[in-house]
Amino acid sequence: MNPPKMEVKKTYPKILLLIFSSSMFFMLLFFFLYYYTKQVERQVRINSKVQFNSEVNKLLDLDHKPIQVAINNDTNWDEFVTFTKTKDSTWYNETIANELNIYKADYMGAYDINKKFIIRTASPKIKSKDMIPEKAMAALDRLGSNKFYMRIPEGLVEVTGASIHPSNDPLKIKTKASGYFFVARLLDDDFIKELERVSESRIHTIDQAHHDVESNHKIFATVALQDFEGRTVEKLLFKRKFEVYFENMLTILYVIFFAFFVNLIINLFYTRKLVYAPLDLITRALETGNKKAIKKLKETTGEFSHIGILFEENSNQKIELVKSKLKAEEGERLKASFLANLSHEIRTPMNAINGFTDLLLNTKLEKDEQLEYLKVVDKSGKNLVSIIDDLIEMSKIDSNQISPNYTHINLESCLNELYETIKITIPKTKNIDFQIIPNQHPAEYNIITDEVKLKQVIVNLVTNAIKFTSEGLVAFGYEVDDKKQQILFTIKDTGPGIDKANQAYIFDRFKRVENDATIKAGGLGLGLAISKAYVEMLGGTISLSSEVEKGSIFTFTIPLQYDEVHRITVQPVKINAIPQAPHGITILIAEDDNINFLLFQKIIQMKHYEIIRAVNGLEAVEISLSNPNIDLVLMDIKMPVMNGFEAMEKIKAIRPELVVIAQTAYASAEDEERIMKAGFYGYLTKPINRENLYATIDEFIKNKT
């Protein structure tokens, strides 16, 4: 006896039910949509008006911010305090009067402690002299600084005032005011037009009794201009177009409603054709193995004709996903390493900038020393800017924001200019023979290319060669290949060379060769990646040939296109050497960076300590073990040859009593824990703070005694 046949529930009726249920839902949605649209229109208008008011107020605050900062700086000035007493007009004219354009104002006026007018500077727009009321100055005794509006014969002005105090009272609360200083801007047609341009609105002045009358396509914002007593002097009415229109929404709803019914009919037709018929074929094929049904199923379109293939594709997709996962993990690891190196490279110049700036601000120095410190700050700032420029340049390249700017250049003059410019920057400590490779067949005419990008590529490659070559040869030049219609540039050096393993990714942006030379030279390693991007942007290719201990040869090509232009005049560049700093007591400073060592030297010599330097970890160990007079070691963590942790381990094994303090650009909690576990007495983070350094040394001396 055959078992009863199980009744199969049909899917197609359920699909039809779903379609009609959705249709009913759509009908309800349609009836509520009009009401909702009106509510949205009302809310959008309210939100737009609130946002417009916020934009206007922020714009006025932002426009006034530079004046507020500048007047606070000027009125916290010891010389200004003296001026309110001496009323020396010569000092005022030479120092303050020429700041009218800096303030972008029409009037500047100074008053003494008795609120008496001293002197003023004004543009031709303002003839008034003593125009500030005494009550406004009395308000400054309470507030320190204030912004208010007032009317003068020339019209409505915005006035910013501040009481004058010594430089040691930046908050204007420790001392009494020595006088008062005011800066005023005339709210004339030019000011209003500029404000209209920035705010993208029309501006009118209105009285206090005005009420906003808004239309369907305009919104308003009102700003009350108040005097020093909080009374409204005048109001500014900002008008802007309201670009959100709802008038055509009903028509759009009718169109949507009609389209819905058309779509419903089409859905019913294609649901039967694309869903019901293939499902019926699958059912018959599974139940009876009907070859005719299978054949028809294979002839259908869409997923049904690919059911058998999907399993194979699924397996292939899994393999690709594993590869993608591994690639993504490698990318994240490289980015993490790159970011860690970026943190170190940024903190190193910032250490010198902050440290020497602190010395300039807080110590009495001779003019020569000031110039010396400023040169160090300037050099460190340029290093920092170079790092940031590389990051920005790489970001622009990735986002396709850079395109070639072709001009006509004299190639011979261009290379000679680069040679002279780079030559004077080579450190005198390097014994390098710097040459231009002779060219028997120079370019006959000027060439067409992007001069800036070409120079950048050559400078990157040449300075890179100089950076890693202590002695020997660095040379660059070019050859013209008329057959291939290209120019071949060559940059070669006799430096340490690059091994085969590292050559594979030398032009990758997130990978950098990690060895003693690169640690000592510093940098993010983006120069080669940028150079490769520029060369390819110009239509060429770049390659490397290198042998360890023999040197490297970088070559790149650009398309050859001749033209004629005037020759370029090469101007020599002058550089000034930084004098050596004197020494102080018995502290060993293990620091490979010359600028950071100079900062330590300048800070510590004020305490009259004797200083000994080690330029790498191995040298620090040797000096510590051979010199028993050393009392304290300031150990940099990241150094060539041997890092700070390795050096610390060897020093402690022989001289466990020697106090070693870590100084590092790494500042995470994990780094701090590792430093303390390694046995360091303490640690200082870069940028080095002078007071923290003194406090750490003083604590060591106190504990020792």
Side-chain angles (χ1 to χ4, degrees):
M1 183 177 180
N2 295 329
K5 187 176 182 180
M6 183 178 64
E7 184 179 355
V8 179
K9 295 182 178 180
K10 300 292 185 180
T11 302
Y12 184 63
K14 295 181 180 180
I15 295 176
L16 293 179
L17 179 61
L18 178 61
I19 292 175
F20 283 112
S21 299
S22 300
S23 301
M24 293 300 297
F25 174 77
F26 177 84
M27 294 293 294
L28 293 174
L29 182 63
F30 176 82
F31 286 118
F32 284 107
L33 188 58
Y34 178 80
Y35 173 78
Y36 174 74
T37 301
K38 298 300 291 182
Q39 294 298 316
V40 169
E41 180 182 12
R42 176 175 172 273
Q43 190 62 44
V44 168
R45 180 178 294 278
I46 292 173
N47 292 344
S48 298
K49 185 174 180 180
V50 171
Q51 182 179 355
F52 188 28
N53 273 278
S54 176
E55 288 179 7
V56 168
N57 283 284
K58 288 180 180 179
L59 177 62
L60 292 175
D61 290 342
L62 186 63
D63 181 64
H64 178 259
K65 188 67 175 179
I67 294 179
Q68 185 66 49
V69 173
I71 199 171
N72 283 338
N73 289 337
D74 280 345
T75 54
N76 279 105
W77 194 358
D78 295 336
E79 293 184 13
F80 213 154
V81 173
T82 303
F83 165 74
T84 61
K85 299 174 183 177
T86 63
K87 301 179 175 58
D88 182 359
S89 61
T90 300
W91 177 90
Y92 175 85
N93 290 329
E94 293 178 352
T95 309
I96 301 299
N98 57 12
E99 292 186 355
L100 191 65
N101 291 330
I102 296 175
Y103 280 103
K104 295 183 180 178
D106 300 300
Y107 173 90
M108 297 191 304
Y111 291 75
D112 63 15
I113 186 59
N114 297 317
K115 303 178 175 62
K116 300 298 182 183
F117 175 76
I118 301 175
I119 195 170
R120 67 124 200 187
T121 304
S123 69
K125 295 181 181 179
I126 295 182
K127 306 298 182 182
S128 301
K129 294 184 178 180
D130 182 8
M131 67 180 192
I132 307 299
E134 289 190 9
K135 290 183 179 181
M137 300 181 212
L140 293 182
D141 290 333
R142 303 188 311 273
L143 303 174
S145 63
N146 189 24
K147 182 184 81 169
F148 58 90
Y149 298 84
M150 59 183 289
R151 284 199 171 276
I152 61 174
E154 290 82 354
L156 182 65
V157 292
E158 174 196 84
V159 182
T160 304
S163 53
I164 301 172
H165 294 263
S167 59
N168 62 358
D169 186 16
L171 299 180
K172 304 180 186 297
I173 59 177
K174 297 180 182 179
T175 59
K176 291 184 178 180
S178 300
Y180 309 91
F181 184 56
F182 296 90
V183 177
R185 294 192 295 184
L186 185 64
L187 274 62
D188 55 5
D189 291 340
D190 292 337
F191 180 89
I192 295 299
K193 287 179 180 178
E194 177 62 17
L195 196 56
E196 286 180 337
R197 184 187 67 80
V198 176
S199 63
E200 298 180 347
S201 59
R202 298 299 302 273
I203 303 174
H204 303 282
T205 56
I206 59 175
D207 58 31
Q208 298 186 33
H210 177 84
H211 296 287
D212 295 350
V213 180
E214 297 187 356
S215 65
N216 289 335
H217 305 305
K218 291 182 180 179
I219 55 175
F220 295 79
T222 305
V223 177
L225 307 180
Q226 297 180 338
D227 63 12
F228 55 85
E229 293 181 334
R231 297 174 299 189
T232 299
V233 178
E234 198 164 290
K235 291 183 178 180
L236 293 181
L237 179 66
F238 292 74
K239 290 195 300 184
R240 179 186 287 177
K241 290 183 179 180
F242 182 62
E243 302 291 353
V244 183
Y245 304 140
F246 290 83
E247 288 87 347
N248 297 325
M249 182 58 71
L250 189 60
T251 302
I252 295 174
L253 289 177
Y254 286 140
V255 172
I256 293 174
F257 192 72
F258 175 76
F260 162 74
F261 278 106
V262 173
N263 183 66
L264 177 62
I265 295 172
I266 294 174
N267 281 340
L268 291 174
F269 173 76
Y270 280 101
T271 298
R272 181 172 183 82
K273 179 179 180 181
L274 300 178
V275 178
Y276 174 74
L279 286 176
D280 183 62
L281 291 173
I282 291 173
T283 302
R284 284 192 287 157
L286 291 173
E287 288 179 347
T288 63
N290 191 313
K291 293 182 179 181
K292 186 177 180 180
I294 295 175
K295 182 180 179 181
K296 288 183 178 181
L297 182 62
K298 292 174 64 177
E299 292 173 355
T300 61
T301 60
E303 291 80 2
F304 294 105
S305 63
H306 297 282
I307 290 177
I309 303 173
L310 288 179
F311 290 101
E312 181 181 359
E313 291 183 349
N314 183 57
S315 177
N316 293 335
Q317 288 174 356
K318 286 182 179 179
I319 295 173
E320 291 299 322
L321 284 174
V322 171
K323 291 180 180 179
S324 299
K325 179 175 180 295
L326 293 175
K327 186 176 181 180
E329 289 175 348
E330 174 66 9
E332 289 299 319
R333 185 187 66 79
L334 293 174
K335 288 180 180 179
S337 175
F338 174 81
L339 291 175
N341 187 53
L342 172 62
S343 173
H344 178 272
E345 295 300 332
I346 289 179
R347 285 176 179 269
T348 297
M350 281 304 300
N351 176 45
I353 292 172
N354 290 352
F356 279 99
T357 302
D358 181 60
L359 288 174
L360 288 166
L361 292 174
N362 298 301
T363 59
K364 294 182 178 180
L365 301 169
E366 296 296 331
K367 187 174 181 179
D368 290 343
E369 286 185 305
Q370 290 178 353
L371 290 174
E372 177 186 357
Y373 293 1
L374 288 172
K375 289 175 183 176
V376 173
V377 172
D378 178 65
K379 182 177 180 181
S380 299
K382 289 177 180 177
N383 289 341
L384 186 58
V385 169
S386 176
I387 292 171
I388 295 172
D389 285 346
D390 281 351
L391 291 172
I392 295 174
E393 203 69 11
M394 204 69 250
S395 177
K396 288 181 178 179
I397 291 171
D398 288 342
S399 57
N400 296 321
Q401 295 183 22
I402 298 180
S403 58
N405 180 24
Y406 292 102
T407 57
H408 306 163
I409 69 170
N410 184 313
L411 192 54
E412 286 289 320
S413 179
C414 176
L415 263 64
N416 289 333
E417 175 188 355
L418 291 177
Y419 173 80
E420 295 296 332
T421 303
I422 297 172
K423 181 179 179 181
I424 60 177
T425 65
I426 299 175
K428 294 182 179 179
T429 56
K430 289 180 177 284
N431 183 20
I432 293 177
D433 181 16
F434 185 46
Q435 301 177 2
I436 292 182
I437 300 173
N439 190 343
Q440 300 300 326
H441 302 287
E444 298 179 2
Y445 305 100
N446 295 331
I447 66 167
I448 299 176
T449 189
D450 188 322
E451 181 179 5
V452 174
K453 292 179 177 58
L454 176 61
K455 284 184 175 180
Q456 186 65 51
V457 173
I458 296 173
V459 168
N460 282 352
L461 296 176
V462 173
T463 54
N464 222 38
I466 294 172
K467 182 192 299 185
F468 293 102
T469 303
S470 299
E471 60 180 1
L473 174 69
V474 173
F476 70 103
Y478 76 96
E479 293 179 2
V480 175
D481 190 338
D482 290 314
K483 291 183 179 180
K484 294 184 178 180
Q485 285 295 290
Q486 66 181 19
I487 305 173
L488 176 66
F489 293 87
T490 302
I491 298 89
K492 63 182 179 180
D493 63 75
T494 57
I498 304 169
D499 58 61
K500 292 291 184 181
N502 287 318
Q503 289 181 31
Y505 59 81
I506 193 70
F507 296 105
D508 290 356
R509 63 196 61 180
F510 291 125
K511 289 186 178 181
R512 189 181 75 158
V513 179
E514 292 291 343
N515 54 38
D516 292 342
T518 58
I519 292 174
K520 183 177 181 180
L524 297 177
L526 289 178
L528 292 179
I530 293 173
S531 299
K532 180 175 183 291
Y534 279 170
V535 169
E536 292 176 348
M537 194 180 298
L538 297 177
T541 59
I542 188 169
S543 61
L544 165 67
S545 174
S546 181
E547 291 184 41
V548 177
E549 303 300 334
K550 291 186 178 181
S552 303
I553 300 176
F554 284 89
T555 57
F556 70 94
T557 63
I558 62 171
L560 173 63
Q561 186 176 358
Y562 282 123
D563 205 312
E564 296 182 5
V565 295
H566 296 293
R567 294 182 63 82
I568 300 172
T569 302
V570 181
Q571 298 293 339
V573 181
K574 296 182 179 180
I575 59 172
N576 295 320
I578 299 174
Q580 293 297 321
H583 291 277
I585 87 170
T586 312
I587 297 177
L588 172 62
I589 300 176
E591 175 60 67
D592 61 303
D593 185 87
N594 290 331
I595 292 178
N596 284 336
F597 171 73
L598 181 59
L599 175 60
F600 275 110
Q601 186 182 54
K602 291 297 181 181
I603 294 175
I604 295 176
Q605 76 175 9
M606 297 176 187
K607 295 290 187 177
H608 306 293
Y609 299 148
E610 182 181 349
I611 298 172
I612 300 174
R613 183 188 181 185
V615 297
N616 57 58
L618 180 60
E619 188 173 327
V621 173
E622 293 173 351
I623 294 174
S624 297
L625 300 184
S626 62
N627 192 337
N629 294 325
I630 293 176
D631 301 307
L632 176 65
V633 179
L634 295 177
M635 180 77 71
D636 188 17
I637 293 300
K638 185 176 181 181
M639 290 188 295
V641 183
M642 183 182 294
N643 64 40
F645 290 109
E646 295 169 340
M648 176 64 179
E649 182 179 359
K650 294 185 180 298
I651 291 173
K652 280 298 180 182
I654 308 298
R655 293 190 62 183
E657 80 288 350
L658 181 59
V659 173
V660 183
I661 298 172
Q663 41 108 357
T664 176
Y666 301 116
S668 67
E670 292 80 7
D671 295 324
E672 178 183 355
E673 181 179 359
R674 185 183 177 191
I675 288 170
M676 300 313 294
K677 284 184 177 180
F680 286 91
Y681 179 84
Y683 77 102
L684 298 166
T685 58
K686 296 178 182 177
I688 297 297
N689 180 278
R690 182 168 57 97
E691 297 301 326
N692 289 343
L693 177 58
Y694 285 161
T696 303
I697 296 175
D698 290 341
E699 179 183 358
F700 155 71
I701 294 174
K702 181 180 178 181
N703 292 337
K704 181 179 179 182
T705 56

